[in-house]
Amino acid sequence: VTSNQLALRLRDDVSQALAEGRPVLALESAFVSHGLPFPVNRETALAAQNEARSLGVVPAMIAVLDGVVRVGLDEAEIERLASGRGVVKASCWDLGAVTALRQTAGTTVAATLAIAGRLGIRVLATGGIGGAHPGGRDVSADLWTLAHTPAAVVCSGPKAILDLPQTLEMLEGLGVPVVGYGTDELPAFFAASSGLALPWRVDDLDTAAQLMRSHWHWHSSSVLLVQPPDNALSPEELREALQWAESEARLAGVRGRELTPFLLARIAERTQGRSVEVNRRLLVANAGLAARLAKTLAQRKAE
Ligand code: PSU
Ligand code: MN
């Protein structure tokens, strides 16, 4: 489907699945263009897609290619995002510009959610969402977009580089439920736990789907379904790497959309790639959980 005016193109398998009410899983693409190093980024993207397909769910990685909003990518297109050359990172405030100016962009959770939401794709998987950075001056657009888009976002919590208590408080204030999948504690992306108690926990997908349907009936925000990584960094290793990364960012004066990629890259350096391995595994695991959730939601709808 191509609409010149809207510069939107859905892959055939995605538009067919949507038309027939079969489950579709949205995948963000900023982790490919800006989150992980090459070639782990490409392999992770392909593994996440395969995970969804093996569960009978159509993966729809969302990105902007030459100014066209694309929903569902093939290998060559993922390769292009992964190579990083001439690829920008687009959040919500960039969306109009990257399309009008014919740019190529990996989309953040916020931008991906905005697009998926408009198309009626209700489940999105990512590694970790953005949130409030320490110091309070930088807050990700992810939070505000979650606040007004009815979707399920499966992740391993907010990224460990954030002020987690503040991010959780903001999610509460914005009316975005954070639900532990088999956990009582907020996972912290690279770490299995943050020490922060979650308001709610579910242990099966039927209950998760029920919770979401009820939530969306009364409110139009996203629900975060969170699960910890199974190969987390130790708290000490993470704390040390994080402190170093933050001081490097301060020294280099990095800010704005560069900050998250900069911190992730420094942490990868400091942990000799162990953080990359955690990130890779949790992205694939989250795609798997999200795909099973998408199936459960589609079944319940059909009932
Ligand atoms: N998850 C990952 N790696 C990433 C991201 C998420 O495992 O790189 C990206 C997401 O796209 C998220 C973004 O929306 O980082 C947050 O960026 P910012 O803080 O600039 O909003
Ligand atoms: Mn930011």
Side-chain angles (χ1 to χ4, degrees), residues 28-36 62-64 81 84-99 103-112 128-131 133 138-142 159 161-162 254-264:
E28 57 116 343
S29 55
F31 83 82
V32 185
S33 60
H34 291 79
L36 287 169
I62 295 180
V64 178
L81 288 177
R85 281 185 298 274
V87 184
V88 299
K89 173 182 162 188
S91 193
C92 283
W93 76 335
D94 306 295
L95 268 184
V98 290
T99 52
Q103 302 276 302
T104 293
T107 50
T108 64
V109 169
T112 307
I129 59 160
H133 285 270
D138 181 330
V139 179
S140 173
D142 289 2
K159 279 200 272 294
I161 54 176
L162 300 164
V254 181
R255 53 200 311 175
R257 63 158 86 76
E258 313 302 330
L259 182 60
T260 293
F262 181 92
L263 291 170
L264 292 177

Side-chain angles (χ1 to χ4, degrees), residues 143-193:
L143 294 189
W144 281 277
T145 312
L146 288 164
H148 60 73
T149 313
V153 176
V154 178
C155 65
S156 298
K159 279 200 272 294
I161 54 176
L162 300 164
D163 178 337
L164 296 173
Q166 178 62 19
T167 301
L168 190 59
E169 289 288 345
M170 288 193 67
L171 288 165
E172 179 184 5
L174 291 166
V176 177
V178 186
V179 181
Y181 188 73
T183 180
D184 296 304
E185 255 188 84
L186 180 71
F189 190 59
F190 292 137
S193 75

